[in-house]
Structures are given as C-alpha cells and as structure tokens.
C-alpha cells in the first residue's frame, strides 16, 4: 500500500508562539480516494470515540503548551491537539534539512496532563517511503493503541526516501541530514520540552522506517533498549538478489522526493553517492553489525507479500525504473514479490547464529500494508513497555 503522497505540511504560522487550536485548512490535494484535508482532519474526527485518558481535556491542553526552541530547532509552526493527546511542530532546522521544513508529532500518555510530576519513557516511530509524520496517527492507530500504555510517542518526518541516513552527496543547497535531524535535534528537543526518561527509549518503524529503526538502533547503541522493524529490510549487501534490491532502493529513493518538492529535492545517489555498494553502507547495514543488537530487545515482523510501496512507485516512473535497472540489473518478479521476507529472515538467522535473543515471525498471507503494521504495533507494545519500565 502506498504511503500518502500529498504534501504533509500545513501553512506556516505568523509566529512560532501563535496559539492555534487545530491545523489550518489548506487547499485539497487528492491522494487516490483520500484528500490531504481528509487525512489531516481524520485524527480530529477520532475525538468523539477516543478517550482523553486520566486527565481532563483542560489538563491535557495546558500540558501541551509552553514549549521552547532547543537543539538548533526553531519552531515555525505549532499545533496542539489535546483531543488526541498530541502536538505538531514544524521546524526551521538551521540548515540540517533544506529540502523542506520538517514536522514532528508528539503524542503524550493519557495521564500526562493529570500527573505533572511524572516522567515517561519514549517511543520513536518512523514512517515508510513516501510517508510523513502523521501516518502513525492517521493509519497506524497510535492514539487508540497507547490508551493503555504510558509512553511518549515521537513521530518525525524522515523524507520520502532517505532511509533515515544523512544525504552524503546532496545537490548544492539541498542538504538533507535526516539522521542528524532526528538524533541530534528532534530527540534533544523532545527531552527539553516534555517530561521524558531519556534513559528509557525504544525505536520502531515500518518498511523504510523499519530499516531506519534497525540502522539507528545499532548506530546509536546506548540510546534504545528496544528496536522494532515491521516489514523493514535488514540487509543491503549486494551478494543476494534481495540485498541488491535494497541497495538499489537506497540509491534511487532520494528522487522520490521530487513528487512533493520538485524545486528542492535531491536526485538518485544523494544518500551514499553514486555507488550502490559504497564503504559507508557497512556502518548502516544491520546485517554487518549483528553484535550491536546483543543486549537489546529486537522485534521483527514481516509478511510474505510484495514490497509494493517501493516497487509500485518505481514501476510508475519508467525513467526511474530504467535508471534502477541500469544500476543493479533487471529485478525479477520473484524478488519484487518477496524481497523483505528473505532479507529479514537472513538477518534473523544471523542473530540466532550469534546467540542474540530476538522475536521474529513471518505473517503468512500478509502483504506490505497498514493492516499488518497496525497489528504489528499492537503485538509489540506490551514487550516494548516491559523493557522500558524494567
């Protein structure tokens, strides 16, 4: 299933501190059968059926205020949504990300407004290729799923095809340091503005975000107690067909930003350069860093269906498909239909061979879509909370 392809960003506010009760209405851009407006308003429509939690709506509203700039992030938009226990920020990153002003949604626990002296663990959730910061609310059911779990959920923009790496070969003036934005700016901003327990954090994501969770989870070893990947590839090594497909995806996916931001997006090769197998790949590749997962909780889920959020978009653009196949060769239908499953299976086998505990399962008959990922999060949350509260 495709991620939403509309521009995710509401118009800028006149000032960072201007009080805004809800996201402003913007011109509608059709996305299949869903409009941008319907996606943005969908979360608000949940208000009649989603309980605010232990605190009153007034307490939550008060708790979702009083924020300040931090960690090099300057707020250029701020939208509290107490009815869904959330607040959205849009940032000027000071040059960290220049392709567009990125946004972040933070969802607080049900008791956040009524327990002003309590501090909470943090769960970072990453969206997939072509997605944006509201996906886990609008399609993953984060508000409903965290009603019984006292955790602050941080959901940042990560670009349409960054694979949560910094762009090492961007075009001039188009810096896109997504990894540094999240790790060096967003998380310190959240710790400075919310009552967090920085020593108790978990990270998870779907598809491209699943890769991002595995990659960042091992690159920042001391940050995360739990690492979760839902349908996320785990090996970009070029010795296998599915690994080569992942490497090719990392190479070509920066160009997917062109659909949203044609004047500021980067082109193919912006992430790690012109090669599909550069030396830097090993520092990100989960398969090349097996030992870094020792001592962590690792949760892996995948269906056995197609990696369609990537390959469908690729096949829709004949020029990009031609570049992809010229770079990595023609990818057979067996790989398209079954890329993530064997890729994640091989990673699980390597973890097992190293004696590293992990939880891996293939959901037979499930494809690359939100029904699967929503179920994955529901299954995962109790284990995440068990580790964070240990």
């Amino acid at each position: 299933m495709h991620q939403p392809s509309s521009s995710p960003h509401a118009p800028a506010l006149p000032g960072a501190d201007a009080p805004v009760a809800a996201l402003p209405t913007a011109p509608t851009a059709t996305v299949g059968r869903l409009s941008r407006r319907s996606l943005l308003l969908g979360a608000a429509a949940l208000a009649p059926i989603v309980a605010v939690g232990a605190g009153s709506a007034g307490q939550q509203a008060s708790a979702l205020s009083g924020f300040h700039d931090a960690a090099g992030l300057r707020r250029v938009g701020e939208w509290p949504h107490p009815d869904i226990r959330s607040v959205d920020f849009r940032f000027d990153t000071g040059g960290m990300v220049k392709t567009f002003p990125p946004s972040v949604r933070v969802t607080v626990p049900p008791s956040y407004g009524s327990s002003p002296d309590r501090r909470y663990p943090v769960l970072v959730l990453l969206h997939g290729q072509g997605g944006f910061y509201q996906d886990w609310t609008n399609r993953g059911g984060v508000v409903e799923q965290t009603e019984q779990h006292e955790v602050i959920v941080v959901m940042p923009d990560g670009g349409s095809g960054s694979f949560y790496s910094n762009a090492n070969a961007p075009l001039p003036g188009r810096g896109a340091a997504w990894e540094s934005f999240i790790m060096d700016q967003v998380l310190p901003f959240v710790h400075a503005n919310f009552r967090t327990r920085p020593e108790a954090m978990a990270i998870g994501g779907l598809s491209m975000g699943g890769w991002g969770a595995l990659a960042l989870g091992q690159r920042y070893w001391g940050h995360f107690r739990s690492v979760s990947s839902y349908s996320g590839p785990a090996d970009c090594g070029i010795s296998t067909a599915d690994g080569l497909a992942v490497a090719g995806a990392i190479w070509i996916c920066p160009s997917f930003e062109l659909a949203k931001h044609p004047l500021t997006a980067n082109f193919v090769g912006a992430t790690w350069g012109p090669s599909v197998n550069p030396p830097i790949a090993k520092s990100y590749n989960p398969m090349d860093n097996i030992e870094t997962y020792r001592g962590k909780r690792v949760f892996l889920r995948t269906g056995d269906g197609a990696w369609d959020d990537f390959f469908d978009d690729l096949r829709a653009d004949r020029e990009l498909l031609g570049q992809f196949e010229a770079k990595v060769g023609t990818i057979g239908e067996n790989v398209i239909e079954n890329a993530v499953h064997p890729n994640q299976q091989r990673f699980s086998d390597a973890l097992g061979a190293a004696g590293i505990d992990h939880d891996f399962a293939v959901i037979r008959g499930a494809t690359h879509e939100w029904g699967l990922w929503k179920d994955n999060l529901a299954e995962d949350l109790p284990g995440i909370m068990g580790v964070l509260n240990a």
Side-chain angles (χ1 to χ4, degrees):
M1 179 176 290
H2 297 308
Q3 306 294 331
S5 57
S6 62
S7 174
H9 305 288
L13 295 177
D17 296 317
V20 178
L23 284 169
T25 300
T28 297
T30 301
V31 187
R33 295 186 178 180
L34 292 176
S35 69
R36 174 190 173 191
R37 185 178 181 187
S38 67
L39 286 173
L40 294 178
L41 296 181
L46 291 171
I49 60 172
V50 176
V52 173
S56 68
Q59 288 173 319
Q60 286 289 26
S62 177
L64 296 175
S65 63
F67 303 112
H68 59 87
D69 298 343
L73 293 178
R74 182 174 67 86
R75 293 162 299 137
V76 297
E78 182 177 306
W79 299 274
H81 305 287
D83 53 342
I84 56 168
R85 300 186 272 112
S86 302
V87 58
D88 297 345
F89 302 98
R90 188 194 300 158
F91 296 116
D92 177 338
T93 67
M96 192 74 79
V97 174
K98 297 181 179 180
T99 48
F100 65 88
S103 297
V104 175
R105 171 165 287 181
V106 180
T107 297
V108 299
S111 68
Y112 195 81
S114 60
S115 302
D117 297 324
R118 184 174 177 180
R119 306 188 77 85
Y120 298 86
V122 173
L123 169 61
V124 180
L125 283 179
L126 306 178
H127 64 72
Q129 178 267 316
F132 77 122
Y133 73 104
Q134 291 187 6
D135 281 357
W136 275 108
T137 304
N138 295 341
R139 310 182 76 180
V142 158
V143 175
E144 302 95 320
Q145 296 209 48
T146 56
E147 277 295 316
Q148 305 302 318
H149 299 288
E150 298 288 340
V151 62
I152 293 172
V153 186
V154 180
M155 297 160 282
D157 268 331
S160 289
S162 71
F163 275 76
Y164 294 93
S165 169
N166 291 340
N168 287 264
L171 293 172
R174 301 188 186 187
W178 288 107
E179 173 185 350
S180 296
F181 166 64
I182 292 169
M183 299 304 302
D184 298 338
Q185 291 188 313
V186 170
L187 287 179
F189 175 89
V190 170
H191 295 320
N193 280 281
F194 294 85
R195 300 192 309 274
T196 65
R197 291 170 49 209
E199 79 284 359
M201 294 201 297
I203 189 168
L206 66 96
S207 193
M208 181 185 83
W211 164 278
L214 291 173
L216 298 181
Q218 60 88 7
R219 283 175 61 80
Y220 298 83
W221 188 87
H223 283 63
F224 304 107
R225 297 183 185 181
S226 180
V227 179
S228 302
S229 177
Y230 316 143
S231 304
D235 184 15
C236 66
I238 63 172
S239 62
T240 64
D242 58 271
L244 181 60
V246 174
I250 294 170
W251 176 78
I252 207 164
C253 270
S255 63
F256 286 0
E257 198 76 69
L258 288 165
K260 294 181 180 179
H261 306 285
L263 301 180
T264 56
N266 283 296
F267 296 156
V268 298
T271 301
W272 293 338
S275 171
V276 295
N277 187 35
I280 194 175
K282 287 187 178 296
S283 69
Y284 286 87
N285 191 19
M287 192 68 174
D288 284 322
N289 295 278
I290 293 296
E291 278 298 320
T292 62
Y293 298 97
R294 193 178 299 279
K296 294 184 181 295
R297 175 182 178 271
V298 179
F299 182 91
L300 307 169
R301 290 293 184 272
T302 183
D304 56 3
W307 188 12
D308 55 13
D309 68 334
F310 169 62
F311 281 109
D312 281 2
D313 284 354
L314 186 61
R315 286 182 292 199
D317 188 319
R318 300 302 300 176
E319 182 179 348
L320 279 182
L321 179 60
Q323 292 183 58
F324 182 84
E325 292 187 337
K327 197 72 173 178
V328 306
T330 301
I331 300 296
E333 285 297 317
N334 62 320
V335 176
I336 294 173
E337 292 298 324
N338 212 2
V340 176
H341 165 209
N343 196 275
Q344 205 177 91
Q345 177 74 64
R346 189 164 58 254
F347 178 61
S348 172
D349 291 345
L351 291 173
I356 297 174
D357 289 340
H358 64 288
D359 184 344
F360 168 68
V362 178
I363 312 303
R364 301 294 176 184
T367 190
H368 212 73
E369 52 85 28
W370 273 102
L372 172 63
W373 303 324
K374 190 173 182 178
D375 288 347
N376 293 161
L377 178 61
E379 182 186 3
D380 194 15
L381 270 171
I384 290 174
M385 297 307 299
V387 169
L388 295 183
N389 290 326

